[in-house]
Amino acid sequence: MRNIALKLIYMGTAYHGWQVQKNGATVAETLEKALSSVVCHPVKVTGAGRTDAGVHALCYVANFHTTSTIPCDRLPLAVNTRLPDDIVVVKATQVPDGFNAIGSCLRKEYTYRIFNSRIRDPFYVNRVWFYPRHLDEGIMARAAQQFVGTHDFAAVRSVGTETRTTVRTVYYFDVERRGDVIELRVCANGFLYNMVRAMVGTCVYAAEGKLAPEDIPAILAGRNRTCAGPTAPPDGLYMSKLWYEEDVL
């Protein structure tokens, strides 16, 4: 039995997130069906994280076990012929039995994109958060820096998946404007449900003057979700980078 890690990229618009669900197509279910067809036995994939409905991945890792002897360099092409155009397997690597796409992940980076222009762009539909009122990226950057470090992030998570602790470490949270597009890149050792989107919404609230960047430490300390900003739409969120000890990327 081989343990195979797959590097993927996908657009999440057509899917109800990564995780297999009873109602609605998901990325994991679509991938499992394609893999099963290739290796000729049922397949269960483990993903690097539960991306929500409409969320995309510029970089994603999943692993599965198989008795198939198909060489790893042939797997991506074989699987891609059975996948829709919005999911692509980029690489396949045989990994140790103990490798697990989520458990072996050391840290993750998400990128959030805001199209900040008075006029919308049809080429960005379902790819960004279209925000017509001007946002001051300098204030957003000051707000983002308040999240860096080890904190209890209960104030910026939605009720959903239960976790043992809401404490996480954010290594960086950078904000950069390129023309009309504002990119927010955040890296942490793990993320809570909707945590990135709530952090982005809080930065937008700061830019709107609804709170000061310096208010954020007290908001985190208070652990009250209603004191932080709104949950940003899923369209602008991308899983963008992953770190592993194994060479799977």
Side-chain angles (χ1 to χ4, degrees), residues 30-73:
T30 305
L31 179 61
E32 286 176 351
K33 288 179 179 178
L35 285 169
S36 298
S37 176
V38 170
V39 302
C40 300
H41 66 76
V43 165
K44 174 69 175 176
V45 295
T46 299
R50 291 188 174 189
T51 56
D52 297 332
V55 174
H56 320 294
L58 300 169
C59 175
Y60 194 89
V61 171
N63 72 290
F64 71 102
H65 292 82
T66 181
T67 55
S68 170
T69 58
I70 298 174
C72 285
D73 60 351

Side-chain angles (χ1 to χ4, degrees), residues 85-228:
D85 292 342
D86 50 9
I87 303 174
V88 176
V89 176
V90 177
K91 181 182 177 182
T93 307
Q94 185 165 342
V95 289
D97 288 342
F99 177 88
N100 177 287
I102 189 167
S104 301
C105 189
L106 303 174
R107 58 179 67 181
K108 304 172 185 177
E109 179 196 85
Y110 280 94
T111 297
Y112 196 95
R113 293 173 178 162
I114 300 173
F115 186 61
N116 189 209
S117 170
R118 291 180 60 198
I119 306 297
R120 65 180 181 272
D121 186 329
F123 291 101
Y124 281 134
V125 172
N126 297 323
R127 305 291 185 267
V128 296
W129 180 9
F130 170 55
Y131 202 91
R133 294 190 299 279
H134 178 72
L135 293 170
D136 186 326
E137 67 274 15
I139 294 176
M140 294 177 70
R142 281 172 47 207
Q145 286 307 302
Q146 306 301 316
F147 291 105
V148 175
T150 301
H151 307 285
D152 186 330
F153 286 94
V156 284
R157 73 144 180 180
S158 298
V159 176
T161 306
E162 290 299 318
T163 59
R164 287 178 298 172
T165 176
T166 50
V167 174
R168 297 290 186 273
T169 299
V170 171
Y171 300 107
Y172 58 80
F173 192 0
D174 299 330
V175 180
E176 182 180 6
R177 177 186 283 274
R178 297 174 183 173
D180 290 329
V181 177
I182 300 174
E183 278 198 352
L184 300 94
R185 293 185 304 112
V186 56
C187 173
N189 60 355
F191 292 93
L192 304 169
Y193 181 46
N194 282 345
M195 176 174 157
V196 176
R197 290 162 59 191
M199 290 164 69
V200 169
T202 303
C203 290
V204 168
Y205 254 26
E208 290 180 334
K210 294 180 178 178
L211 57 86
E214 294 71 27
D215 293 336
I216 292 173
I219 290 172
L220 292 176
R223 305 181 77 252
N224 186 341
R225 178 68 188 90
T226 62
C227 294

